[in-house]
mmCIF file of all heavy atoms in Angstrom:
data_model
loop_
_atom_site.group_PDB
_atom_site.id
_atom_site.type_symbol
_atom_site.label_atom_id
_atom_site.label_comp_id
_atom_site.label_asym_id
_atom_site.label_seq_id
_atom_site.Cartn_x
_atom_site.Cartn_y
_atom_site.Cartn_z
ATOM 1 N N SER B 563 157.911 64.044 137.761
ATOM 2 C CA SER B 563 157.638 63.625 139.135
ATOM 3 C C SER B 563 158.797 62.866 139.792
ATOM 4 O O SER B 563 159.113 63.137 140.955
ATOM 5 C CB SER B 563 156.345 62.800 139.191
ATOM 6 O OG SER B 563 155.252 63.637 138.892
ATOM 7 N N ALA B 571 162.933 63.671 148.739
ATOM 8 C CA ALA B 571 163.390 62.598 149.628
ATOM 9 C C ALA B 571 164.784 62.914 150.180
ATOM 10 O O ALA B 571 165.053 62.738 151.374
ATOM 11 C CB ALA B 571 163.404 61.258 148.881
ATOM 12 N N LYS B 573 166.132 65.918 150.480
ATOM 13 C CA LYS B 573 166.074 67.092 151.363
ATOM 14 C C LYS B 573 165.440 66.782 152.716
ATOM 15 O O LYS B 573 165.716 67.457 153.703
ATOM 16 C CB LYS B 573 165.284 68.235 150.697
ATOM 17 C CG LYS B 573 165.974 68.846 149.502
ATOM 18 C CD LYS B 573 167.210 69.619 149.935
ATOM 19 C CE LYS B 573 168.049 70.037 148.750
ATOM 20 N NZ LYS B 573 169.372 70.538 149.141
ATOM 21 N N ASP B 577 163.906 57.570 153.059
ATOM 22 C CA ASP B 577 164.475 56.458 152.311
ATOM 23 C C ASP B 577 163.405 55.907 151.359
ATOM 24 O O ASP B 577 162.539 55.138 151.784
ATOM 25 C CB ASP B 577 164.931 55.391 153.316
ATOM 26 C CG ASP B 577 165.613 54.230 152.617
ATOM 27 O OD1 ASP B 577 166.083 54.408 151.469
ATOM 28 O OD2 ASP B 577 165.658 53.146 153.219
ATOM 29 N N SER B 600 153.999 44.471 144.964
ATOM 30 C CA SER B 600 155.463 44.364 144.927
ATOM 31 C C SER B 600 156.141 45.367 145.861
ATOM 32 O O SER B 600 157.348 45.591 145.770
ATOM 33 C CB SER B 600 155.964 44.568 143.497
ATOM 34 O OG SER B 600 155.921 45.948 143.176
ATOM 35 N N GLY B 602 154.964 48.703 146.544
ATOM 36 C CA GLY B 602 154.626 50.110 146.351
ATOM 37 C C GLY B 602 153.762 50.610 147.504
ATOM 38 O O GLY B 602 152.841 49.924 147.936
ATOM 39 N N ASN B 606 151.582 58.535 142.229
ATOM 40 C CA ASN B 606 150.882 59.620 141.542
ATOM 41 C C ASN B 606 150.260 59.043 140.288
ATOM 42 O O ASN B 606 150.756 58.071 139.712
ATOM 43 C CB ASN B 606 151.848 60.740 141.152
ATOM 44 C CG ASN B 606 152.228 61.605 142.334
ATOM 45 O OD1 ASN B 606 153.403 61.775 142.642
ATOM 46 N ND2 ASN B 606 151.243 62.145 143.015
ATOM 47 N N ASP B 620 139.534 52.929 147.654
ATOM 48 C CA ASP B 620 138.541 52.448 148.628
ATOM 49 C C ASP B 620 137.912 53.617 149.379
ATOM 50 O O ASP B 620 136.774 53.545 149.825
ATOM 51 C CB ASP B 620 139.207 51.499 149.632
ATOM 52 C CG ASP B 620 139.780 50.274 148.943
ATOM 53 O OD1 ASP B 620 139.021 49.603 148.219
ATOM 54 O OD2 ASP B 620 140.990 50.005 149.110
ATOM 55 N N PRO B 663 145.241 87.624 143.344
ATOM 56 C CA PRO B 663 144.050 87.874 144.155
ATOM 57 C C PRO B 663 143.178 86.620 144.285
ATOM 58 O O PRO B 663 142.950 85.930 143.289
ATOM 59 C CB PRO B 663 143.294 88.948 143.368
ATOM 60 C CG PRO B 663 144.204 89.429 142.309
ATOM 61 C CD PRO B 663 145.248 88.401 142.100
ATOM 62 N N ALA B 665 140.877 85.868 147.881
ATOM 63 C CA ALA B 665 139.773 86.234 148.797
ATOM 64 C C ALA B 665 139.122 87.522 148.295
ATOM 65 O O ALA B 665 139.812 88.501 148.006
ATOM 66 C CB ALA B 665 140.308 86.424 150.203
ATOM 67 N N ILE B 671 137.505 81.543 135.161
ATOM 68 C CA ILE B 671 138.135 80.262 134.829
ATOM 69 C C ILE B 671 137.766 79.926 133.389
ATOM 70 O O ILE B 671 136.579 79.883 133.037
ATOM 71 C CB ILE B 671 137.689 79.144 135.790
ATOM 72 C CG1 ILE B 671 138.205 79.448 137.210
ATOM 73 C CG2 ILE B 671 138.192 77.781 135.317
ATOM 74 C CD1 ILE B 671 137.769 78.448 138.261
ATOM 75 N N ARG B 698 133.912 77.053 125.512
ATOM 76 C CA ARG B 698 133.438 76.933 124.140
ATOM 77 C C ARG B 698 132.081 76.240 124.123
ATOM 78 O O ARG B 698 131.124 76.734 123.565
ATOM 79 C CB ARG B 698 134.451 76.049 123.385
ATOM 80 C CG ARG B 698 134.985 76.590 122.127
ATOM 81 C CD ARG B 698 136.171 75.824 121.609
ATOM 82 N NE ARG B 698 136.305 74.432 122.038
ATOM 83 C CZ ARG B 698 137.337 73.663 121.719
ATOM 84 N NH1 ARG B 698 138.305 74.152 120.973
ATOM 85 N NH2 ARG B 698 137.406 72.423 122.143
ATOM 86 N N ASP B 727 139.740 90.086 138.557
ATOM 87 C CA ASP B 727 141.000 90.245 139.279
ATOM 88 C C ASP B 727 142.007 89.191 138.826
ATOM 89 O O ASP B 727 143.198 89.457 138.719
ATOM 90 C CB ASP B 727 140.747 90.105 140.786
ATOM 91 C CG ASP B 727 139.766 91.151 141.273
ATOM 92 O OD1 ASP B 727 140.090 92.349 141.156
ATOM 93 O OD2 ASP B 727 138.668 90.784 141.729
ATOM 94 N N ILE B 730 142.238 82.414 135.162
ATOM 95 C CA ILE B 730 142.942 81.126 135.167
ATOM 96 C C ILE B 730 142.594 80.379 133.884
ATOM 97 O O ILE B 730 141.411 80.137 133.612
ATOM 98 C CB ILE B 730 142.530 80.280 136.395
ATOM 99 C CG1 ILE B 730 142.917 80.997 137.691
ATOM 100 C CG2 ILE B 730 143.170 78.891 136.325
ATOM 101 C CD1 ILE B 730 142.346 80.338 138.943
ATOM 102 N N MET B 759 148.870 75.174 132.341
ATOM 103 C CA MET B 759 149.943 74.550 131.558
ATOM 104 C C MET B 759 151.287 75.147 131.945
ATOM 105 O O MET B 759 151.355 76.316 132.304
ATOM 106 C CB MET B 759 149.743 74.868 130.075
ATOM 107 C CG MET B 759 148.867 73.912 129.333
ATOM 108 S SD MET B 759 149.869 72.762 128.398
ATOM 109 C CE MET B 759 151.083 73.838 127.639
ATOM 110 N N ALA B 767 151.012 79.852 125.057
ATOM 111 C CA ALA B 767 150.312 80.753 124.131
ATOM 112 C C ALA B 767 149.516 81.790 124.929
ATOM 113 O O ALA B 767 149.472 82.968 124.574
ATOM 114 C CB ALA B 767 149.390 79.944 123.229
ATOM 115 N N SER B 774 151.575 90.382 126.155
ATOM 116 C CA SER B 774 151.485 91.342 125.043
ATOM 117 C C SER B 774 150.432 92.412 125.333
ATOM 118 O O SER B 774 150.465 93.493 124.755
ATOM 119 C CB SER B 774 151.182 90.626 123.728
ATOM 120 O OG SER B 774 149.805 90.289 123.660
ATOM 121 N N ILE B 788 154.904 71.783 141.204
ATOM 122 C CA ILE B 788 155.686 71.608 142.438
ATOM 123 C C ILE B 788 154.739 71.474 143.638
ATOM 124 O O ILE B 788 154.935 70.596 144.490
ATOM 125 C CB ILE B 788 156.604 72.838 142.672
ATOM 126 C CG1 ILE B 788 157.509 73.093 141.466
ATOM 127 C CG2 ILE B 788 157.383 72.704 143.983
ATOM 128 C CD1 ILE B 788 158.805 72.384 141.451
ATOM 129 N N ASP B 806 160.101 76.766 148.255
ATOM 130 C CA ASP B 806 161.055 77.688 147.618
ATOM 131 C C ASP B 806 162.341 76.979 147.194
ATOM 132 O O ASP B 806 162.900 77.269 146.136
ATOM 133 C CB ASP B 806 161.386 78.856 148.557
ATOM 134 C CG ASP B 806 160.169 79.743 148.759
ATOM 135 O OD1 ASP B 806 159.292 79.753 147.871
ATOM 136 O OD2 ASP B 806 160.084 80.410 149.798
ATOM 137 N N ALA B 808 162.573 73.945 146.213
ATOM 138 C CA ALA B 808 162.263 73.169 145.007
ATOM 139 C C ALA B 808 162.148 74.072 143.781
ATOM 140 O O ALA B 808 162.654 73.743 142.703
ATOM 141 C CB ALA B 808 160.974 72.373 145.211
ATOM 142 N N ILE B 809 161.476 75.200 143.932
ATOM 143 C CA ILE B 809 161.342 76.137 142.799
ATOM 144 C C ILE B 809 162.729 76.612 142.354
ATOM 145 O O ILE B 809 163.033 76.659 141.157
ATOM 146 C CB ILE B 809 160.432 77.332 143.191
ATOM 147 C CG1 ILE B 809 158.965 76.979 142.959
ATOM 148 C CG2 ILE B 809 160.789 78.583 142.420
ATOM 149 C CD1 ILE B 809 158.480 77.126 141.522
#
Side-chain angles (χ1 to χ4, degrees):
S563 292
K573 292 291 170 192
D577 183 21
S600 76
N606 283 124
D620 299 306
I671 294 177
R698 232 167 24 184
D727 300 298
I730 298 171
M759 272 260 315
S774 78
I788 304 272
D806 292 335
I809 274 279

